[in-house]
Amino acid sequence: MRRADQARDRRRKITVIAVSAVTVAALGVGVGYLVSTSDGTDAKATVVAGEKTWANLSRNHVTGDVSYPMTPPAGGDHNPVWQNCDGDVYEKPVSDESAVHSLEHGAVWVTYTSDATAADIKALGDRVSRTPYTLMSPYPGQSSPITLTAWGHQLNVTAGSDSRVADFLDKYVQGPQTPEPGATCTGGRAE
């Protein structure tokens, strides 16, 4: 009787182990299938139509002026002091070198020329003022009325109502391109 009980216990343990192994294997196959059939259209992974990109941008702190290969600059060497970018809207141009430091912290810099409409400037300013890790300033001489810039990424648009503005902000405010995610956007230059 004792042998029969031991044999029954052994069969029960073997059955529990086998069922557990089959369940874990089935879950693994199911997850693998879902991952392999994903179309890869995650919002953070897609490119915003018309954006320009730059890679391998240097990140040294410098105290002088920097000559950037793009306008406005989208990364590179920069001032050790960042431009405040906690939804800050500036009425005058800001230092390129300090704004680039803000981009390194994950900010998006919205710039505009006198070709932008007053309504677009107001609407964009309202959006920026409600969005941490953004800043906005005039930028005379840029090629489009409105430009959105993140570290290594830039989008030129002619109107603030362009749907790509929201796409760019959603993707790049503290986005995957951020060299120093979570770094502060306050306590820097305020003018």
Side-chain angles (χ1 to χ4, degrees):
M1 191 143 172
R2 183 177 259 165
R3 279 188 196 156
D5 286 342
Q6 288 175 340
R8 194 175 332 111
D9 286 343
R10 210 173 337 173
R11 283 191 305 269
R12 189 174 20 226
K13 285 179 186 178
I14 290 171
T15 302
V16 167
I17 291 170
V19 168
S20 296
V22 168
T23 302
V24 167
L27 284 172
V29 168
V31 168
Y33 173 77
L34 289 175
V35 168
S36 69
T37 58
S38 168
D39 65 3
T41 58
D42 177 57
K44 294 279 185 182
T46 58
V47 173
V48 176
E51 80 175 69
K52 299 176 212 164
T53 61
W54 295 267
N56 303 318
L57 298 166
S58 60
R59 296 179 39 215
N60 300 308
H61 288 176
V62 297
T63 55
D65 293 340
V66 177
S67 178
Y68 294 101
M70 73 291 284
T71 304
D77 293 346
H78 51 271
N79 193 282
V81 180
W82 56 91
Q83 190 72 39
N84 284 345
C85 50
D86 192 26
D88 294 271
V89 177
Y90 300 94
E91 293 183 11
K92 294 180 181 176
V94 299
S95 158
D96 283 353
E97 293 79 10
S98 291
V100 168
H101 195 153
S102 298
L103 302 180
E104 184 182 43
H105 289 192
V108 169
W109 183 18
V110 179
T111 55
Y112 59 92
T113 68
S114 59
D115 292 334
T117 68
D120 280 343
I121 294 168
K122 179 174 180 354
L124 287 167
D126 289 346
R127 169 117 191 212
V128 165
S129 67
R130 295 187 315 267
T131 309
Y133 288 96
T134 61
L135 68 155
M136 181 173 162
S137 69
Y139 202 98
Q142 69 184 27
S143 63
S144 65
I146 300 164
T147 300
L148 288 87
T149 306
W151 187 269
H153 300 269
Q154 193 168 80
L155 178 67
N156 294 319
V157 296
T158 57
S161 59
D162 189 314
S163 63
R164 297 174 300 158
V165 169
D167 294 342
F168 194 91
L169 288 166
D170 290 344
K171 181 175 181 179
Y172 292 119
V173 169
Q174 284 286 286
Q177 84 295 340
T178 303
E180 295 181 3
T184 187
C185 255
T186 60
R189 290 185 184 212
E191 73 287 332

